[in-house]
Amino acid sequence: MDFGRLITAMVTPFDANGQIDWQTTARLIDYLIDEQQSASIVVCGTTGESPTLSDNEKLELFRFAVKHTAGRAKIIAGTGSNNTAHSVHLTKEAEACGVDGALIVAPYYNRPSQEGLYQHFKAVAEATALPIVLYNVEGRTGVNISAATTLRLAQIDNIVATKDCASTDQLTQIIAGAPEGFVVYSGDDSMTLPSLAVGAYGIVSVASHIVGAEMKQLIDAYLSGDVQEAVRINGKLFPVFKGLFYCPHPVPNPVAVKYALGLKGIPVGGVRLPLDTVTEPEAAFIRDLIQ
């Protein structure tokens, strides 16, 4: 399974009552594929506000995305949690919805050992035929999937990739030891170019909602050997990469990108509590950033 170089972790559009806006979801999927050149879309990841979506809402979103995309891009279901049994259950349900793969985050809050992490991901992988993408984001989960544990998991046939927000040192260790067919995606937009430079395959992005087509140009330039052009594009996009998370202080994902999409003519609504909407100074910063 090739999920492509540019994957967007999609926001979940809500209406004025905080319910899923299906018409806007369809429009957003089209926009991400046609205008922002996403090869795959993560549905119900952290950017999609998975902690505040019910299982029924997630399954509806999986089915809707598969049907509406109609093969134009791969759909990766965010089905991980800090409960192994629940992660297994939701992944099996997502498989029945026809998704192309599953993104499984490291269990958060529990802070399991490396052996616990291995057994967690192994249990999910063994319960499904779906290709599995690991998701390592210590800043949110409180635990790092070590390079050694990642490489151990990479030996499992249907664990095919990792989305890793660790340092380039860790990415380098994984890439150097990975078996054939196992690929590494950066999970940090601002690390796209540095990660490619140490051998990463691509990026699972939030900023690609806004600058995806240019990010694809950056990736293509680097892969074609035009490093100078890749550096130029990276420098141009870097303020957007950082600004969507620091505007002008840290803002929880996906608060800023949802506001930015509205400015781009894709009104995806607000966020569910405990997240809150942008303040006026934050809104002004984002307007200046992308317009």
Short mmCIF file of all heavy atoms in Angstrom, two decimals, residues 148-198:
data_model
loop_
_atom_site.label_atom_id
_atom_site.label_comp_id
_atom_site.label_asym_id
_atom_site.label_seq_id
_atom_site.Cartn_x
_atom_site.Cartn_y
_atom_site.Cartn_z
N ALA A 148 14.00 1.51 18.52
CA ALA A 148 14.10 0.05 18.62
C ALA A 148 12.73 -0.61 18.58
O ALA A 148 12.52 -1.63 17.91
CB ALA A 148 14.85 -0.34 19.89
N THR A 149 11.77 -0.03 19.29
CA THR A 149 10.42 -0.60 19.30
C THR A 149 9.76 -0.42 17.94
O THR A 149 9.08 -1.33 17.44
CB THR A 149 9.57 0.06 20.40
OG1 THR A 149 10.18 -0.19 21.68
CG2 THR A 149 8.15 -0.48 20.40
N THR A 150 9.97 0.72 17.32
CA THR A 150 9.43 0.94 15.97
C THR A 150 9.97 -0.10 15.00
O THR A 150 9.21 -0.68 14.20
CB THR A 150 9.75 2.35 15.48
OG1 THR A 150 9.19 3.31 16.38
CG2 THR A 150 9.20 2.60 14.08
N LEU A 151 11.26 -0.34 15.05
CA LEU A 151 11.87 -1.31 14.14
C LEU A 151 11.40 -2.74 14.43
O LEU A 151 11.24 -3.56 13.52
CB LEU A 151 13.38 -1.22 14.21
CG LEU A 151 13.97 0.07 13.64
CD1 LEU A 151 15.46 0.17 13.92
CD2 LEU A 151 13.70 0.15 12.13
N ARG A 152 11.16 -3.02 15.68
CA ARG A 152 10.60 -4.33 16.04
C ARG A 152 9.20 -4.48 15.46
O ARG A 152 8.85 -5.52 14.90
CB ARG A 152 10.59 -4.45 17.57
CG ARG A 152 10.23 -5.82 18.11
CD ARG A 152 10.27 -5.79 19.62
NE ARG A 152 9.73 -7.02 20.19
CZ ARG A 152 9.30 -7.14 21.45
NH1 ARG A 152 9.36 -6.08 22.26
NH2 ARG A 152 8.81 -8.29 21.88
N LEU A 153 8.39 -3.43 15.58
CA LEU A 153 7.03 -3.46 15.04
C LEU A 153 7.04 -3.53 13.52
O LEU A 153 6.15 -4.11 12.90
CB LEU A 153 6.26 -2.23 15.51
CG LEU A 153 5.83 -2.25 16.98
CD1 LEU A 153 5.45 -0.85 17.46
CD2 LEU A 153 4.68 -3.22 17.19
N ALA A 154 8.06 -2.93 12.90
CA ALA A 154 8.15 -2.92 11.44
C ALA A 154 8.31 -4.32 10.86
O ALA A 154 8.11 -4.52 9.65
CB ALA A 154 9.31 -2.04 11.00
N GLN A 155 8.66 -5.28 11.69
CA GLN A 155 8.78 -6.67 11.22
C GLN A 155 7.41 -7.34 11.04
O GLN A 155 7.31 -8.39 10.41
CB GLN A 155 9.62 -7.48 12.21
CG GLN A 155 11.02 -6.94 12.42
CD GLN A 155 11.84 -6.88 11.15
OE1 GLN A 155 11.79 -7.79 10.32
NE2 GLN A 155 12.58 -5.80 10.97
N ILE A 156 6.35 -6.73 11.59
CA ILE A 156 5.00 -7.27 11.44
C ILE A 156 4.49 -6.87 10.06
O ILE A 156 4.55 -5.70 9.67
CB ILE A 156 4.08 -6.73 12.56
CG1 ILE A 156 4.60 -7.20 13.93
CG2 ILE A 156 2.64 -7.19 12.34
CD1 ILE A 156 3.87 -6.60 15.11
N ASP A 157 3.99 -7.84 9.31
CA ASP A 157 3.74 -7.66 7.88
C ASP A 157 2.87 -6.45 7.56
O ASP A 157 3.16 -5.72 6.60
CB ASP A 157 3.08 -8.91 7.29
CG ASP A 157 4.07 -10.04 7.11
OD1 ASP A 157 5.29 -9.78 7.20
OD2 ASP A 157 3.63 -11.19 6.90
N ASN A 158 1.79 -6.24 8.31
CA ASN A 158 0.88 -5.16 7.92
C ASN A 158 1.12 -3.86 8.67
O ASN A 158 0.33 -2.92 8.56
CB ASN A 158 -0.59 -5.59 8.05
CG ASN A 158 -0.99 -5.95 9.46
OD1 ASN A 158 -0.19 -6.48 10.23
ND2 ASN A 158 -2.25 -5.69 9.81
N ILE A 159 2.21 -3.75 9.42
CA ILE A 159 2.65 -2.46 9.95
C ILE A 159 3.63 -1.90 8.94
O ILE A 159 4.76 -2.36 8.81
CB ILE A 159 3.26 -2.58 11.35
CG1 ILE A 159 2.20 -3.09 12.33
CG2 ILE A 159 3.83 -1.25 11.81
CD1 ILE A 159 2.67 -3.20 13.77
N VAL A 160 3.17 -0.90 8.17
CA VAL A 160 3.88 -0.51 6.95
C VAL A 160 4.54 0.86 7.03
O VAL A 160 5.31 1.23 6.14
CB VAL A 160 2.91 -0.52 5.75
CG1 VAL A 160 2.32 -1.91 5.54
CG2 VAL A 160 1.80 0.52 5.92
N ALA A 161 4.25 1.63 8.08
CA ALA A 161 4.78 3.00 8.14
C ALA A 161 4.66 3.54 9.55
O ALA A 161 3.95 2.97 10.40
CB ALA A 161 4.02 3.91 7.18
N THR A 162 5.35 4.63 9.80
CA THR A 162 5.17 5.38 11.02
C THR A 162 5.05 6.86 10.70
O THR A 162 5.75 7.37 9.81
CB THR A 162 6.32 5.16 12.03
OG1 THR A 162 6.03 5.87 13.24
CG2 THR A 162 7.66 5.61 11.49
N LYS A 163 4.14 7.52 11.40
CA LYS A 163 4.10 8.98 11.43
C LYS A 163 4.79 9.37 12.72
O LYS A 163 4.27 9.10 13.82
CB LYS A 163 2.65 9.48 11.42
CG LYS A 163 2.52 10.99 11.65
CD LYS A 163 1.07 11.41 11.86
CE LYS A 163 0.99 12.89 12.19
NZ LYS A 163 -0.41 13.32 12.49
N ASP A 164 5.97 9.99 12.62
CA ASP A 164 6.79 10.19 13.81
C ASP A 164 7.12 11.66 13.97
O ASP A 164 7.61 12.31 13.04
CB ASP A 164 8.07 9.37 13.70
CG ASP A 164 8.68 9.07 15.06
OD1 ASP A 164 8.80 10.01 15.86
OD2 ASP A 164 9.04 7.90 15.31
N CYS A 165 6.83 12.18 15.16
CA CYS A 165 7.11 13.58 15.47
C CYS A 165 8.40 13.73 16.29
O CYS A 165 8.63 14.79 16.88
CB CYS A 165 5.94 14.20 16.23
SG CYS A 165 4.40 14.21 15.30
N ALA A 166 9.20 12.68 16.34
CA ALA A 166 10.45 12.72 17.09
C ALA A 166 11.52 13.49 16.32
O ALA A 166 11.30 13.97 15.21
CB ALA A 166 10.92 11.30 17.40
N SER A 167 12.69 13.57 16.92
CA SER A 167 13.81 14.29 16.32
C SER A 167 14.30 13.59 15.06
O SER A 167 14.01 12.40 14.83
CB SER A 167 14.97 14.37 17.32
OG SER A 167 15.49 13.06 17.54
N THR A 168 15.06 14.33 14.26
CA THR A 168 15.65 13.70 13.07
C THR A 168 16.63 12.61 13.46
O THR A 168 16.86 11.68 12.68
CB THR A 168 16.35 14.74 12.18
OG1 THR A 168 17.27 15.51 12.97
CG2 THR A 168 15.35 15.67 11.52
N ASP A 169 17.21 12.68 14.66
CA ASP A 169 18.08 11.59 15.12
C ASP A 169 17.30 10.28 15.17
O ASP A 169 17.76 9.24 14.67
CB ASP A 169 18.64 11.90 16.51
CG ASP A 169 19.72 12.95 16.50
OD1 ASP A 169 20.08 13.43 15.41
OD2 ASP A 169 20.19 13.31 17.60
N GLN A 170 16.09 10.33 15.77
CA GLN A 170 15.30 9.10 15.85
C GLN A 170 14.82 8.67 14.48
O GLN A 170 14.83 7.47 14.16
CB GLN A 170 14.11 9.30 16.80
CG GLN A 170 13.22 8.05 16.89
CD GLN A 170 12.41 7.99 18.16
OE1 GLN A 170 12.93 8.22 19.25
NE2 GLN A 170 11.12 7.68 18.04
N LEU A 171 14.39 9.62 13.66
CA LEU A 171 13.96 9.26 12.31
C LEU A 171 15.09 8.58 11.54
O LEU A 171 14.88 7.59 10.84
CB LEU A 171 13.51 10.51 11.54
CG LEU A 171 12.32 11.30 12.09
CD1 LEU A 171 11.88 12.34 11.08
CD2 LEU A 171 11.16 10.41 12.47
N THR A 172 16.30 9.11 11.70
CA THR A 172 17.46 8.53 11.01
C THR A 172 17.70 7.10 11.46
O THR A 172 17.97 6.21 10.63
CB THR A 172 18.71 9.39 11.28
OG1 THR A 172 18.48 10.71 10.80
CG2 THR A 172 19.93 8.81 10.59
N GLN A 173 17.58 6.84 12.75
CA GLN A 173 17.78 5.49 13.27
C GLN A 173 16.74 4.53 12.70
O GLN A 173 17.07 3.40 12.32
CB GLN A 173 17.69 5.49 14.80
CG GLN A 173 18.85 6.19 15.48
CD GLN A 173 18.66 6.26 16.99
OE1 GLN A 173 17.54 6.33 17.49
NE2 GLN A 173 19.75 6.25 17.72
N ILE A 174 15.50 5.00 12.62
CA ILE A 174 14.44 4.14 12.09
C ILE A 174 14.68 3.86 10.61
O ILE A 174 14.60 2.71 10.15
CB ILE A 174 13.06 4.79 12.31
CG1 ILE A 174 12.76 4.90 13.81
CG2 ILE A 174 11.96 3.99 11.60
CD1 ILE A 174 11.55 5.77 14.12
N ILE A 175 14.96 4.91 9.86
CA ILE A 175 15.14 4.77 8.42
C ILE A 175 16.33 3.86 8.11
O ILE A 175 16.27 3.02 7.20
CB ILE A 175 15.31 6.16 7.77
CG1 ILE A 175 13.98 6.93 7.85
CG2 ILE A 175 15.78 6.06 6.33
CD1 ILE A 175 14.11 8.43 7.69
N ALA A 176 17.40 3.99 8.89
CA ALA A 176 18.60 3.18 8.65
C ALA A 176 18.33 1.69 8.89
O ALA A 176 18.92 0.84 8.22
CB ALA A 176 19.74 3.66 9.54
N GLY A 177 17.43 1.38 9.83
CA GLY A 177 17.21 -0.01 10.18
C GLY A 177 15.93 -0.62 9.66
O GLY A 177 15.65 -1.79 9.91
N ALA A 178 15.14 0.17 8.93
CA ALA A 178 13.80 -0.29 8.52
C ALA A 178 13.89 -1.37 7.45
O ALA A 178 14.73 -1.29 6.55
CB ALA A 178 12.98 0.88 8.01
N PRO A 179 13.02 -2.37 7.52
CA PRO A 179 12.96 -3.37 6.45
C PRO A 179 12.39 -2.77 5.18
O PRO A 179 11.73 -1.73 5.21
CB PRO A 179 12.03 -4.44 7.03
CG PRO A 179 11.15 -3.71 7.98
CD PRO A 179 12.01 -2.62 8.57
N GLU A 180 12.63 -3.43 4.07
CA GLU A 180 12.10 -2.96 2.80
C GLU A 180 10.58 -2.86 2.87
O GLU A 180 9.91 -3.77 3.37
CB GLU A 180 12.50 -3.92 1.68
CG GLU A 180 12.09 -3.45 0.30
CD GLU A 180 12.57 -4.37 -0.79
OE1 GLU A 180 13.29 -5.35 -0.49
OE2 GLU A 180 12.23 -4.13 -1.97
N GLY A 181 10.05 -1.75 2.38
CA GLY A 181 8.60 -1.56 2.36
C GLY A 181 8.06 -0.78 3.53
O GLY A 181 6.91 -0.33 3.50
N PHE A 182 8.87 -0.59 4.58
CA PHE A 182 8.43 0.20 5.73
C PHE A 182 8.93 1.62 5.55
O PHE A 182 10.12 1.84 5.32
CB PHE A 182 8.97 -0.39 7.03
CG PHE A 182 8.50 0.34 8.27
CD1 PHE A 182 7.31 -0.02 8.88
CD2 PHE A 182 9.25 1.37 8.82
CE1 PHE A 182 6.87 0.65 10.02
CE2 PHE A 182 8.81 2.05 9.95
CZ PHE A 182 7.62 1.68 10.55
N VAL A 183 8.02 2.61 5.65
CA VAL A 183 8.41 3.99 5.38
C VAL A 183 8.11 4.88 6.57
O VAL A 183 7.28 4.57 7.43
CB VAL A 183 7.71 4.55 4.12
CG1 VAL A 183 8.09 3.74 2.89
CG2 VAL A 183 6.20 4.58 4.29
N VAL A 184 8.80 6.02 6.59
CA VAL A 184 8.68 6.99 7.67
C VAL A 184 8.08 8.28 7.13
O VAL A 184 8.54 8.82 6.12
CB VAL A 184 10.05 7.27 8.30
CG1 VAL A 184 9.96 8.42 9.31
CG2 VAL A 184 10.60 6.02 8.97
N TYR A 185 7.06 8.76 7.82
CA TYR A 185 6.47 10.07 7.54
C TYR A 185 6.78 10.99 8.72
O TYR A 185 6.65 10.60 9.88
CB TYR A 185 4.96 9.98 7.40
CG TYR A 185 4.47 9.30 6.16
CD1 TYR A 185 4.19 7.94 6.15
CD2 TYR A 185 4.27 10.02 4.98
CE1 TYR A 185 3.73 7.31 5.01
CE2 TYR A 185 3.81 9.39 3.83
CZ TYR A 185 3.55 8.04 3.85
OH TYR A 185 3.10 7.42 2.71
N SER A 186 7.16 12.23 8.42
CA SER A 186 7.23 13.23 9.46
C SER A 186 5.82 13.61 9.88
O SER A 186 4.90 13.65 9.04
CB SER A 186 7.97 14.47 8.97
OG SER A 186 7.90 15.50 9.95
N GLY A 187 5.65 13.90 11.15
CA GLY A 187 4.36 14.39 11.63
C GLY A 187 4.39 15.86 11.98
O GLY A 187 3.46 16.37 12.60
N ASP A 188 5.46 16.53 11.60
CA ASP A 188 5.66 17.94 11.94
C ASP A 188 5.91 18.71 10.64
O ASP A 188 6.93 18.51 9.97
CB ASP A 188 6.86 18.06 12.88
CG ASP A 188 7.15 19.48 13.33
OD1 ASP A 188 6.64 20.43 12.70
OD2 ASP A 188 7.91 19.65 14.30
N ASP A 189 4.99 19.58 10.27
CA ASP A 189 5.10 20.31 9.00
C ASP A 189 6.43 21.01 8.83
O ASP A 189 7.02 20.98 7.75
CB ASP A 189 3.96 21.33 8.87
CG ASP A 189 2.63 20.68 8.53
OD1 ASP A 189 2.58 19.91 7.56
OD2 ASP A 189 1.65 20.96 9.22
N SER A 190 6.92 21.65 9.88
CA SER A 190 8.16 22.41 9.77
C SER A 190 9.37 21.52 9.59
O SER A 190 10.46 22.00 9.23
CB SER A 190 8.35 23.31 11.00
OG SER A 190 8.56 22.53 12.16
N MET A 191 9.21 20.21 9.80
CA MET A 191 10.31 19.26 9.63
C MET A 191 10.22 18.51 8.30
O MET A 191 10.95 17.54 8.09
CB MET A 191 10.31 18.26 10.79
CG MET A 191 10.66 18.88 12.14
SD MET A 191 12.34 19.56 12.15
CE MET A 191 13.28 18.06 12.04
N THR A 192 9.36 18.95 7.41
CA THR A 192 9.19 18.23 6.14
C THR A 192 10.51 18.10 5.39
O THR A 192 10.94 17.00 5.04
CB THR A 192 8.15 18.95 5.25
OG1 THR A 192 6.90 19.03 5.93
CG2 THR A 192 7.96 18.20 3.94
N LEU A 193 11.17 19.21 5.13
CA LEU A 193 12.41 19.16 4.36
C LEU A 193 13.54 18.47 5.13
O LEU A 193 14.21 17.60 4.55
CB LEU A 193 12.82 20.57 3.93
CG LEU A 193 14.07 20.66 3.05
CD1 LEU A 193 13.94 19.80 1.80
CD2 LEU A 193 14.35 22.12 2.67
N PRO A 194 13.79 18.80 6.41
CA PRO A 194 14.82 18.07 7.13
C PRO A 194 14.56 16.56 7.19
O PRO A 194 15.50 15.76 7.11
CB PRO A 194 14.79 18.69 8.53
CG PRO A 194 14.24 20.05 8.33
CD PRO A 194 13.26 19.92 7.21
N SER A 195 13.30 16.18 7.31
CA SER A 195 12.98 14.75 7.37
C SER A 195 13.24 14.07 6.03
O SER A 195 13.77 12.95 5.98
CB SER A 195 11.51 14.57 7.79
OG SER A 195 11.28 15.08 9.07
N LEU A 196 12.87 14.73 4.94
CA LEU A 196 13.19 14.19 3.62
C LEU A 196 14.71 14.01 3.47
O LEU A 196 15.18 13.04 2.88
CB LEU A 196 12.67 15.11 2.53
CG LEU A 196 11.15 15.19 2.33
CD1 LEU A 196 10.81 16.31 1.35
CD2 LEU A 196 10.57 13.87 1.85
N ALA A 197 15.46 14.95 4.01
CA ALA A 197 16.90 14.92 3.86
C ALA A 197 17.54 13.71 4.55
O ALA A 197 18.61 13.26 4.13
CB ALA A 197 17.52 16.20 4.40
N VAL A 198 16.89 13.18 5.60
CA VAL A 198 17.44 11.99 6.26
C VAL A 198 16.76 10.71 5.79
O VAL A 198 17.00 9.64 6.32
CB VAL A 198 17.37 12.10 7.80
CG1 VAL A 198 18.19 13.29 8.28
CG2 VAL A 198 15.93 12.19 8.31
#
